[in-house]
Amino acid sequence: MPWINHCWHVPLYVSARGLSTSLIPHASGSFEIEFNFVEHRLEIRKIDGKKASFTLESMSVADFYGKTFDRVKQLNLEIEIYSLPVEIPDPIMPFPENNQQAPYDAEAVHQFWKALTHAQRIFTQFRSNFMGKVSPVHFFWGAFDLAVSRFSGRTAPKHLGGVPNCPDLVMEESYSHELSSAGFWPGTGFGEAAFYSYAYPEPEGYQDSVIKPQDAFYNEELGEYLLPYQAVMNASNPDEILLDFLQTTYEATAVNGKWDREALEK
């Protein structure tokens, strides 16, 4: 993929079947890789109609890596990837050498995907009300979160980096401009499923803002506002309280950071 600012060329996207790379340009014909969480298959499709797939089931990382690249070669696609885990404190080893068996719970994965479809729906609605630069709604496999980010248009202080097994230049480029970012963790980050929102850089007064709904709170360790997923699930109107959370945490950034809201908002 061509490099897109803030590393936007690498995430996955919620699809009607699971998670997809979207269409990747390639000299031998553009292609797409999709995790199908309905039929539980990894599917690789080219624009010339050729395709290859295999069943998603319990296996080692090495087996998954091997099966993926076997199918890629069947389609005459020459591609390379960085074969070490990133954003993980203690990566086991390169993918082709990791023979530890990993479980695959098809029902849990299916429910996870269904949750992503609802979060994607609300994030897309929230995204539509912003006239300034805003990211797609995309899934970052490193932190394992669905995210959407709004930008003020101003440059930000240089990020200090320090993300495990991730070059500092990646974080420096990703956080090169002021932003308000929100997303959904299925369990990563907070330790339980939750929605999150943070500002970079965090403006003075941000932590003292009035945030809706009442179940939302600021987590000092993470430096983010959190809204437990269970609180959204238990609400009489889940869409409304999630939109409230997204809007009030964004306003905490925009108001305290003195963004030009008249120019940026619809």
Side-chain angles (χ1 to χ4, degrees):
M1 287 289 285
W3 186 283
I4 301 175
N5 59 177
H6 312 298
C7 300
W8 290 351
H9 59 299
V10 300
L12 301 175
Y13 298 88
V14 180
S15 71
R17 285 286 194 237
L19 286 168
S20 167
T21 59
S22 76
L23 195 63
I24 299 174
H26 195 276
S28 67
S30 298
F31 70 100
E32 174 186 28
I33 301 177
E34 183 176 41
F35 288 89
N36 182 332
F37 294 145
V38 177
E39 298 172 352
H40 302 285
R41 300 189 65 80
L42 186 80
E43 301 174 339
I44 308 172
R45 295 182 290 269
K46 293 182 68 177
I47 59 173
D48 61 7
K50 295 178 180 178
K51 57 186 177 181
S53 68
F54 63 87
T55 301
L56 294 173
E57 58 188 351
S58 300
M59 67 181 81
S60 70
V61 170
D63 286 341
F64 178 84
Y65 182 91
K67 288 183 178 184
T68 301
F69 275 85
D70 282 345
R71 300 324 187 263
V72 164
K73 290 177 181 177
Q74 288 175 19
L75 298 176
N76 297 316
L77 292 167
E78 294 294 331
I79 62 174
E80 295 180 1
I81 69 168
Y82 184 68
S83 61
L84 277 173
V86 297
E87 298 188 60
I88 296 175
D90 298 303
I92 300 173
M93 58 190 68
F95 301 140
E97 301 173 21
N98 184 352
N99 291 306
Q100 294 187 17
Q101 290 296 305
Y104 185 86
D105 186 330
E107 178 58 27
V109 170
H110 185 75
Q111 292 299 325
F112 158 63
W113 165 69
K114 287 175 65 178
L116 288 181
T117 65
H118 288 295
Q120 191 268 355
R121 174 174 56 84
I122 299 302
F123 288 0
T124 300
Q125 181 179 341
F126 173 67
R127 180 183 187 271
S128 69
N129 296 323
F130 198 69
M131 297 293 290
K133 178 177 176 177
V134 59
S135 77
V137 178
H138 44 200
F139 184 84
F140 282 105
W141 36 261
F144 218 69
D145 59 326
L146 189 71
V148 61
S149 301
R150 294 177 169 188
F151 293 80
S152 73
R154 302 187 301 236
T155 56
K158 183 178 179 180
H159 196 280
L160 298 178
V163 175
N165 295 293
C166 182
D168 288 347
L169 65 88
V170 172
M171 305 310 294
E172 291 168 7
E173 201 277 338
S174 297
Y175 290 95
S176 61
H177 289 69
E178 292 180 345
L179 60 78
S180 172
S181 188
F184 169 66
W185 276 324
T188 45
F190 181 48
E192 66 176 84
F195 295 93
Y196 68 79
S197 183
Y198 65 89
Y200 184 82
E202 183 180 297
E204 185 176 352
Y206 178 75
Q207 299 182 27
D208 301 320
S209 303
V210 177
I211 303 299
K212 296 180 181 179
Q214 291 184 344
D215 292 296
F217 61 96
Y218 186 83
N219 184 295
E220 292 189 6
E221 182 179 354
L222 295 174
E224 302 181 2
Y225 280 104
L226 298 175
L227 174 62
Y229 180 73
Q230 199 61 47
V232 179
M233 288 288 292
N234 293 339
S236 58
N237 191 333
D239 291 7
E240 181 179 27
I241 71 163
L242 179 52
L243 282 169
D244 282 346
F245 176 73
L246 297 172
Q247 182 63 29
T248 56
T249 52
Y250 158 70
E251 290 176 353
T253 303
V255 172
N256 291 294
K258 297 180 172 57
W259 287 22
D260 185 356
R261 299 183 65 191
E262 184 175 349
L264 294 171
E265 299 173 18
K266 189 182 296 185

